[in-house]
Each structure stands twice: as C-alpha cells, then as structure tokens.
Amino acid sequence: MSEDGKRLLIAWHSRTGASRAMARAGAEGAGEAARLLRAGEVMPEDILAASAYLFVCPENLASMSGEMKEMFDRCYYPVLGRIEGRPYATLIAAGSDGEGAQRQIDRIATGWRLRRVADPVILCFDAQTPEAIMAEKTVSAERLSRCRELGAALAEGLALGVF
C-alpha cells in the first residue's frame, strides 16, 4: 500500500503470457501502490479496498477473456453503488484488434460509474493462425515500458489526489 493508504488494484488474466507480463510491468511502474491479483482471485472486498483499478486481459474471440468476465460477474453486484467515481484504465493484449474486449470493460465500468483516466492501451501481437494465437507471447521492452508508464501514472495520480 502507498504511504497515503491508496491502492491500485491490478486485476489480470492471461492465457499466453502477454497480459501477465503487461500487468507485472504496470505493477512495477505503480510500485508500493500496486496490488497485483489474478482475476480468478479477485473478490468484491478487493475491489472495495482499492482506490483505483487497472484491468489487464487478452481479447479472445472479440471479447475479454472468460476468467476476466467471471471476475466482473462475481463482483459486479456486491460492489454496485459503492465505488462510483473511482479511476480506472485498461491494458489489452490482442491478436489484431482488441476493441471488443475494450468495449466490454468500458460498459461494465460505466455501470459501476468508474471514471476512465487514461486512454486504453491495446497491444496487438498480429497472431492470426491457431498456432500463433496459442503460442506463449514475448512482450518487447518498448511495449512493457508503456505498461510501466501507465502503472506509474495511475499511482502518481492517486498520490497527488488528482483522482
């Protein structure tokens, strides 16, 4: 937890390693403010305890991954009406597009009345064959830097009271 008690929850899911690497880079950037949790482990109490959110997942079949969707399904109603106005951002790993997963997360965030505070970061890996789609991904240092910067910006915004 950061010195001011504000915490950035980084909820992530990954099938091929890209989203996991992106989430870890975001956590590195956020430093002590970050709490990194796999989506399958996130409970409503974790969402309530956070001051801001970074949602990180792959796009699968033009949707967010199933484990990420399950997290939102499990936590949506128990926190509804209790987290309005909190900031969020997203990191999406995509084969070619990423917009479908992004739209789904934004719709859920709208229902929770969260406030997007950074443009979406969608990293496309140009995976178009079954073999490429299912292969373990390596995220370049330049791309990980973008994820680190987003984590740092969210933590800094919390620390400064910007959001």
Side-chain angles (χ1 to χ4, degrees):
M1 187 175 303
S2 65
E3 290 178 20
D4 59 8
K6 294 185 178 180
R7 180 167 307 270
L8 171 65
L9 174 62
I10 302 174
W12 65 277
H13 176 247
S14 186
R15 291 188 183 282
T16 62
S19 297
R20 179 181 57 239
M22 293 161 63
R24 287 179 178 164
E28 288 170 15
E32 291 182 14
R35 181 167 185 223
L36 187 63
L37 278 179
R38 186 178 175 105
E41 299 170 354
V42 174
M43 300 305 291
E45 299 77 26
D46 300 310
I47 292 176
L48 291 170
S51 304
Y53 313 96
L54 180 56
F55 301 118
V56 188
C57 70
E59 181 174 72
N60 298 137
L61 303 172
S63 300
M64 75 178 96
S65 65
E67 188 170 321
M68 197 70 165
K69 172 73 166 62
E70 167 58 26
M71 178 203 73
F72 285 118
D73 288 344
R74 181 177 59 257
C75 297
Y76 188 84
Y77 290 107
V79 306
L80 186 63
R82 301 169 69 187
I83 59 172
E84 286 95 348
R86 294 184 190 179
Y88 83 101
T90 51
L91 294 169
I92 306 291
S96 60
D97 183 56
E99 294 295 330
Q102 183 58 58
R103 274 191 303 278
Q104 283 184 305
I105 293 172
D106 283 341
R107 289 185 69 172
I108 292 164
T110 297
W112 272 345
R113 308 292 190 262
L114 299 179
R115 184 170 41 110
R116 175 174 281 289
V117 295
D119 290 336
V121 175
I122 299 174
L123 302 183
C124 292
F125 290 85
D126 299 316
Q128 297 303 309
T129 66
E131 296 78 22
I133 291 166
M134 295 305 297
E136 191 72 14
K137 306 293 185 290
T138 300
V139 185
S140 71
E142 178 183 330
R143 288 177 159 195
L144 289 175
S145 178
R146 288 182 64 195
C147 301
R148 244 180 247 104
E149 288 169 7
L150 180 56
L154 290 169
E156 188 68 18
L158 283 174
L160 294 174
V162 174
F163 34 77

